[in-house]
Amino acid sequence: MSAPMDEQVDRRSFLYRASALAAATTVGSIALPSIAHAAPATTSTALVDVPARSVDVSELTIAEAATLIRKGRLTPEQLLEAYLDRIGKFDSIYQAFNLVLADEALARARTLGRSRGGALHGIPLAIKDNYYTRGVTTTANSYLFADFVPSYDATAVRRLTAAGGIVLGKTQMGPLATTRATTPDGRITTVNAWTPADPSTDPGGSSSGSATAVAARMAASSVGTQTGGSITAPSNAQNLTGLKPTMGRVSLHGIVPLSYTRDHPGPLARDAMDAAIMLTAMAGEDPADPRTQGLPPVPDLVTAATPVIRSGKVRARWRTRIGVIPGFTSGTSETAVARKTALDVLAGIDGLSVVDVTMPEEWDLLTNAAFNNVRLPERSEPFLPMLRSDLRGFGVSVTGWLQGALLGANEYLIGQRAKVLLLQRVLDDLFEQCDVVVQTSPTPFDALGLPELALPIGFTTAGIPIGTILGGKPYGEDRLLAVAAAYQSVTDWHHHRPADPVIPTATARTTAISDRGRILAHEVPDLMQ
């Protein structure tokens, strides 16, 4: 396989493009500079052959299920029915879905069962409810969109179904993609699949339902959106492999907006291979979204996520320096111990090296909450008519939207300039020391449009998942997947599945669900992504 995409891309052209994207927020949609890159890449069309590890089809990865379907040992209808059965039994507890399209999904599964297709042929997928779905209510879990029925699919949804995927249902999310999943007035709904009896355990926001649906084995994979951690956080919280691609790699057309320069669609999956299969289907240029145009071609992500084994030993696909930020393993907490162990495992893989890195100048200043809040006007601007007409439509998150509307223009402009300066220092300083960097937070990589991959690295003694985040260079999704695939070849954290919840009596279930607590309006600004 050729060099990874991040070695073929001119980082300076990514900086220029990011500067132009920041300008686009003030002057409207503009043609963005193209990204200079070397030899063209080839997107994989090969089908992987992965043997099933479990006889329970609801536990299969996409790659395992697709292999069985292709060989005629499993039908799309059988796979879908397994998920519908679990939804019927358990989703009243998990509350991962706000709409299940059982009849439509079954009809499509039966149609697909009479043909053979690609890597997503017959695979049931959960769709976050801010993705447009043609003829199906798309609420963004908000009063504002309570009755909205789009006339077309989001580009990402259209591409997933074109690849053979089945839309199983729409998932619960934070209101307008802000906090963990609650009702629009703040009552907690979705719980973490690993602790369904304890609603205080965060399932990760705002793609809470998307994560719980996959972790609880009610869907093979799902999609979410990330503006401030909403793919990586729920993936880490629920033992999944989540991939937030580089800005523009996946079209945002047909997704309810949160921030023009920071929204990123991406998959929440069970392992690196599934994330690669999903992103391969979702990614690519879209005439309806200028952010997708002028980019390097999508590389062969599936091959990148295929482990390299020589003489019975796992090896890195590409030599990669993994940067460790100051304080990453400090302390004696279970998280710190898991991080140390994960780094030791990575260092033991031939071709991977672990190196300490220093952070760019003024890192703490440029990544603090004040600069991060420059995203808020981008959030509020599309909704200004609604903010002026009826604040009640924003429910519990109204304070956060008002913050954006009231932020001064001078603060916004200073923040945009600071973001470009920070990106320059990350590209020129941080990535001179390493190829991939471990992170304790999705900030600032999601703000800078750089790719991130979340993966599981252990559990607490209470059985709650521990994850970490890898950050990459522009369009470096293939390298991130290769590192994750190598790590997952020598560990089994990603194979763990939560126990099924105890099903209480109807009365007890109603009481428990109605008493999950709530998020109050004054708390939302500190929780919003």
PDB file of all heavy atoms in Angstrom, residues 344-365:
ATOM      1  N   ASP A 344       2.065   1.107  26.417  1.00  0.00           N
ATOM      2  CA  ASP A 344       3.024  -0.002  26.415  1.00  0.00           C
ATOM      3  C   ASP A 344       2.697  -0.995  25.297  1.00  0.00           C
ATOM      4  O   ASP A 344       3.607  -1.503  24.625  1.00  0.00           O
ATOM      5  CB  ASP A 344       3.011  -0.720  27.759  1.00  0.00           C
ATOM      6  CG  ASP A 344       3.648   0.104  28.879  1.00  0.00           C
ATOM      7  OD1 ASP A 344       4.399   1.056  28.560  1.00  0.00           O
ATOM      8  OD2 ASP A 344       3.394  -0.198  30.059  1.00  0.00           O
ATOM      9  N   VAL A 345       1.403  -1.271  25.112  1.00  0.00           N
ATOM     10  CA  VAL A 345       0.996  -2.184  24.046  1.00  0.00           C
ATOM     11  C   VAL A 345       1.364  -1.610  22.681  1.00  0.00           C
ATOM     12  O   VAL A 345       1.914  -2.295  21.815  1.00  0.00           O
ATOM     13  CB  VAL A 345      -0.522  -2.469  24.127  1.00  0.00           C
ATOM     14  CG1 VAL A 345      -0.996  -3.238  22.899  1.00  0.00           C
ATOM     15  CG2 VAL A 345      -0.854  -3.245  25.395  1.00  0.00           C
ATOM     16  N   LEU A 346       1.070  -0.341  22.478  1.00  0.00           N
ATOM     17  CA  LEU A 346       1.388   0.295  21.202  1.00  0.00           C
ATOM     18  C   LEU A 346       2.899   0.289  20.948  1.00  0.00           C
ATOM     19  O   LEU A 346       3.356   0.019  19.830  1.00  0.00           O
ATOM     20  CB  LEU A 346       0.855   1.729  21.188  1.00  0.00           C
ATOM     21  CG  LEU A 346      -0.661   1.876  21.082  1.00  0.00           C
ATOM     22  CD1 LEU A 346      -1.093   3.295  21.435  1.00  0.00           C
ATOM     23  CD2 LEU A 346      -1.146   1.517  19.680  1.00  0.00           C
ATOM     24  N   ALA A 347       3.679   0.579  21.982  1.00  0.00           N
ATOM     25  CA  ALA A 347       5.138   0.608  21.825  1.00  0.00           C
ATOM     26  C   ALA A 347       5.695  -0.773  21.498  1.00  0.00           C
ATOM     27  O   ALA A 347       6.782  -0.878  20.908  1.00  0.00           O
ATOM     28  CB  ALA A 347       5.785   1.154  23.096  1.00  0.00           C
ATOM     29  N   GLY A 348       4.957  -1.814  21.868  1.00  0.00           N
ATOM     30  CA  GLY A 348       5.412  -3.180  21.602  1.00  0.00           C
ATOM     31  C   GLY A 348       5.096  -3.683  20.200  1.00  0.00           C
ATOM     32  O   GLY A 348       5.492  -4.789  19.832  1.00  0.00           O
ATOM     33  N   ILE A 349       4.398  -2.875  19.404  1.00  0.00           N
ATOM     34  CA  ILE A 349       4.065  -3.261  18.032  1.00  0.00           C
ATOM     35  C   ILE A 349       5.158  -2.758  17.104  1.00  0.00           C
ATOM     36  O   ILE A 349       5.487  -1.572  17.111  1.00  0.00           O
ATOM     37  CB  ILE A 349       2.695  -2.692  17.630  1.00  0.00           C
ATOM     38  CG1 ILE A 349       1.592  -3.293  18.511  1.00  0.00           C
ATOM     39  CG2 ILE A 349       2.400  -2.963  16.155  1.00  0.00           C
ATOM     40  CD1 ILE A 349       0.221  -2.668  18.312  1.00  0.00           C
ATOM     41  N   ASP A 350       5.717  -3.661  16.322  1.00  0.00           N
ATOM     42  CA  ASP A 350       6.808  -3.313  15.425  1.00  0.00           C
ATOM     43  C   ASP A 350       6.373  -2.216  14.453  1.00  0.00           C
ATOM     44  O   ASP A 350       5.362  -2.353  13.759  1.00  0.00           O
ATOM     45  CB  ASP A 350       7.246  -4.560  14.638  1.00  0.00           C
ATOM     46  CG  ASP A 350       8.505  -4.313  13.822  1.00  0.00           C
ATOM     47  OD1 ASP A 350       9.255  -3.389  14.167  1.00  0.00           O
ATOM     48  OD2 ASP A 350       8.714  -5.038  12.837  1.00  0.00           O
ATOM     49  N   GLY A 351       7.104  -1.132  14.413  1.00  0.00           N
ATOM     50  CA  GLY A 351       6.784  -0.028  13.509  1.00  0.00           C
ATOM     51  C   GLY A 351       6.130   1.150  14.198  1.00  0.00           C
ATOM     52  O   GLY A 351       6.032   2.235  13.607  1.00  0.00           O
ATOM     53  N   LEU A 352       5.659   0.952  15.435  1.00  0.00           N
ATOM     54  CA  LEU A 352       5.080   2.046  16.210  1.00  0.00           C
ATOM     55  C   LEU A 352       6.065   2.464  17.288  1.00  0.00           C
ATOM     56  O   LEU A 352       6.671   1.612  17.943  1.00  0.00           O
ATOM     57  CB  LEU A 352       3.757   1.634  16.858  1.00  0.00           C
ATOM     58  CG  LEU A 352       2.623   1.198  15.941  1.00  0.00           C
ATOM     59  CD1 LEU A 352       1.372   0.882  16.762  1.00  0.00           C
ATOM     60  CD2 LEU A 352       2.309   2.265  14.898  1.00  0.00           C
ATOM     61  N   SER A 353       6.218   3.738  17.487  1.00  0.00           N
ATOM     62  CA  SER A 353       7.053   4.243  18.570  1.00  0.00           C
ATOM     63  C   SER A 353       6.264   5.280  19.358  1.00  0.00           C
ATOM     64  O   SER A 353       5.443   6.007  18.796  1.00  0.00           O
ATOM     65  CB  SER A 353       8.350   4.858  18.031  1.00  0.00           C
ATOM     66  OG  SER A 353       8.080   5.915  17.124  1.00  0.00           O
ATOM     67  N   VAL A 354       6.505   5.332  20.639  1.00  0.00           N
ATOM     68  CA  VAL A 354       5.817   6.261  21.530  1.00  0.00           C
ATOM     69  C   VAL A 354       6.807   7.329  21.959  1.00  0.00           C
ATOM     70  O   VAL A 354       7.877   7.014  22.494  1.00  0.00           O
ATOM     71  CB  VAL A 354       5.236   5.513  22.753  1.00  0.00           C
ATOM     72  CG1 VAL A 354       4.658   6.496  23.754  1.00  0.00           C
ATOM     73  CG2 VAL A 354       4.172   4.517  22.315  1.00  0.00           C
ATOM     74  N   VAL A 355       6.467   8.590  21.699  1.00  0.00           N
ATOM     75  CA  VAL A 355       7.393   9.683  21.991  1.00  0.00           C
ATOM     76  C   VAL A 355       6.675  10.759  22.784  1.00  0.00           C
ATOM     77  O   VAL A 355       5.505  11.053  22.547  1.00  0.00           O
ATOM     78  CB  VAL A 355       7.961  10.284  20.692  1.00  0.00           C
ATOM     79  CG1 VAL A 355       8.772   9.255  19.925  1.00  0.00           C
ATOM     80  CG2 VAL A 355       6.865  10.856  19.805  1.00  0.00           C
ATOM     81  N   ASP A 356       7.355  11.343  23.745  1.00  0.00           N
ATOM     82  CA  ASP A 356       6.812  12.486  24.474  1.00  0.00           C
ATOM     83  C   ASP A 356       6.887  13.731  23.590  1.00  0.00           C
ATOM     84  O   ASP A 356       7.875  13.940  22.876  1.00  0.00           O
ATOM     85  CB  ASP A 356       7.589  12.725  25.765  1.00  0.00           C
ATOM     86  CG  ASP A 356       7.376  11.621  26.793  1.00  0.00           C
ATOM     87  OD1 ASP A 356       6.278  11.031  26.796  1.00  0.00           O
ATOM     88  OD2 ASP A 356       8.309  11.333  27.560  1.00  0.00           O
ATOM     89  N   VAL A 357       5.841  14.539  23.647  1.00  0.00           N
ATOM     90  CA  VAL A 357       5.829  15.762  22.847  1.00  0.00           C
ATOM     91  C   VAL A 357       5.605  16.962  23.757  1.00  0.00           C
ATOM     92  O   VAL A 357       5.035  16.845  24.848  1.00  0.00           O
ATOM     93  CB  VAL A 357       4.729  15.714  21.762  1.00  0.00           C
ATOM     94  CG1 VAL A 357       4.996  14.590  20.775  1.00  0.00           C
ATOM     95  CG2 VAL A 357       3.339  15.584  22.371  1.00  0.00           C
ATOM     96  N   THR A 358       6.067  18.105  23.312  1.00  0.00           N
ATOM     97  CA  THR A 358       5.771  19.361  23.996  1.00  0.00           C
ATOM     98  C   THR A 358       4.681  20.080  23.217  1.00  0.00           C
ATOM     99  O   THR A 358       4.586  19.967  21.992  1.00  0.00           O
ATOM    100  CB  THR A 358       7.022  20.250  24.075  1.00  0.00           C
ATOM    101  OG1 THR A 358       7.519  20.486  22.748  1.00  0.00           O
ATOM    102  CG2 THR A 358       8.104  19.574  24.899  1.00  0.00           C
ATOM    103  N   MET A 359       3.861  20.814  23.935  1.00  0.00           N
ATOM    104  CA  MET A 359       2.746  21.488  23.285  1.00  0.00           C
ATOM    105  C   MET A 359       3.203  22.812  22.685  1.00  0.00           C
ATOM    106  O   MET A 359       4.140  23.442  23.177  1.00  0.00           O
ATOM    107  CB  MET A 359       1.611  21.729  24.286  1.00  0.00           C
ATOM    108  CG  MET A 359       1.162  20.458  25.010  1.00  0.00           C
ATOM    109  SD  MET A 359       0.889  19.044  23.914  1.00  0.00           S
ATOM    110  CE  MET A 359      -0.621  19.537  23.108  1.00  0.00           C
ATOM    111  N   PRO A 360       2.546  23.239  21.625  1.00  0.00           N
ATOM    112  CA  PRO A 360       2.920  24.513  20.989  1.00  0.00           C
ATOM    113  C   PRO A 360       2.814  25.690  21.954  1.00  0.00           C
ATOM    114  O   PRO A 360       2.112  25.638  22.967  1.00  0.00           O
ATOM    115  CB  PRO A 360       1.902  24.633  19.847  1.00  0.00           C
ATOM    116  CG  PRO A 360       1.480  23.239  19.548  1.00  0.00           C
ATOM    117  CD  PRO A 360       1.494  22.533  20.871  1.00  0.00           C
ATOM    118  N   GLU A 361       3.487  26.759  21.611  1.00  0.00           N
ATOM    119  CA  GLU A 361       3.493  27.980  22.428  1.00  0.00           C
ATOM    120  C   GLU A 361       2.073  28.484  22.666  1.00  0.00           C
ATOM    121  O   GLU A 361       1.231  28.461  21.766  1.00  0.00           O
ATOM    122  CB  GLU A 361       4.316  29.049  21.699  1.00  0.00           C
ATOM    123  CG  GLU A 361       4.498  30.339  22.462  1.00  0.00           C
ATOM    124  CD  GLU A 361       5.287  31.364  21.675  1.00  0.00           C
ATOM    125  OE1 GLU A 361       5.712  31.055  20.544  1.00  0.00           O
ATOM    126  OE2 GLU A 361       5.479  32.479  22.198  1.00  0.00           O
ATOM    127  N   GLU A 362       1.809  28.911  23.889  1.00  0.00           N
ATOM    128  CA  GLU A 362       0.515  29.475  24.306  1.00  0.00           C
ATOM    129  C   GLU A 362      -0.634  28.480  24.145  1.00  0.00           C
ATOM    130  O   GLU A 362      -1.778  28.856  23.916  1.00  0.00           O
ATOM    131  CB  GLU A 362       0.201  30.760  23.533  1.00  0.00           C
ATOM    132  CG  GLU A 362       1.220  31.875  23.756  1.00  0.00           C
ATOM    133  CD  GLU A 362       0.878  33.123  22.978  1.00  0.00           C
ATOM    134  OE1 GLU A 362       0.828  33.030  21.730  1.00  0.00           O
ATOM    135  OE2 GLU A 362       0.644  34.183  23.615  1.00  0.00           O
ATOM    136  N   TRP A 363      -0.349  27.207  24.302  1.00  0.00           N
ATOM    137  CA  TRP A 363      -1.363  26.166  24.116  1.00  0.00           C
ATOM    138  C   TRP A 363      -2.564  26.372  25.029  1.00  0.00           C
ATOM    139  O   TRP A 363      -3.716  26.344  24.582  1.00  0.00           O
ATOM    140  CB  TRP A 363      -0.737  24.796  24.361  1.00  0.00           C
ATOM    141  CG  TRP A 363      -1.698  23.652  24.259  1.00  0.00           C
ATOM    142  CD1 TRP A 363      -2.350  23.027  25.273  1.00  0.00           C
ATOM    143  CD2 TRP A 363      -2.126  23.016  23.049  1.00  0.00           C
ATOM    144  NE1 TRP A 363      -3.147  22.017  24.797  1.00  0.00           N
ATOM    145  CE2 TRP A 363      -3.029  21.992  23.426  1.00  0.00           C
ATOM    146  CE3 TRP A 363      -1.830  23.186  21.707  1.00  0.00           C
ATOM    147  CZ2 TRP A 363      -3.640  21.154  22.499  1.00  0.00           C
ATOM    148  CZ3 TRP A 363      -2.434  22.348  20.779  1.00  0.00           C
ATOM    149  CH2 TRP A 363      -3.328  21.357  21.173  1.00  0.00           C
ATOM    150  N   ASP A 364      -2.300  26.575  26.320  1.00  0.00           N
ATOM    151  CA  ASP A 364      -3.410  26.716  27.274  1.00  0.00           C
ATOM    152  C   ASP A 364      -4.282  27.923  26.938  1.00  0.00           C
ATOM    153  O   ASP A 364      -5.511  27.868  27.056  1.00  0.00           O
ATOM    154  CB  ASP A 364      -2.870  26.833  28.704  1.00  0.00           C
ATOM    155  CG  ASP A 364      -2.261  25.527  29.196  1.00  0.00           C
ATOM    156  OD1 ASP A 364      -2.596  24.467  28.637  1.00  0.00           O
ATOM    157  OD2 ASP A 364      -1.442  25.575  30.135  1.00  0.00           O
ATOM    158  N   LEU A 365      -3.662  29.002  26.528  1.00  0.00           N
ATOM    159  CA  LEU A 365      -4.420  30.200  26.181  1.00  0.00           C
ATOM    160  C   LEU A 365      -5.277  29.954  24.940  1.00  0.00           C
ATOM    161  O   LEU A 365      -6.476  30.272  24.923  1.00  0.00           O
ATOM    162  CB  LEU A 365      -3.460  31.370  25.927  1.00  0.00           C
ATOM    163  CG  LEU A 365      -4.095  32.652  25.366  1.00  0.00           C
ATOM    164  CD1 LEU A 365      -5.066  33.258  26.379  1.00  0.00           C
ATOM    165  CD2 LEU A 365      -3.008  33.655  24.990  1.00  0.00           C
TER     166      LEU A 365
END
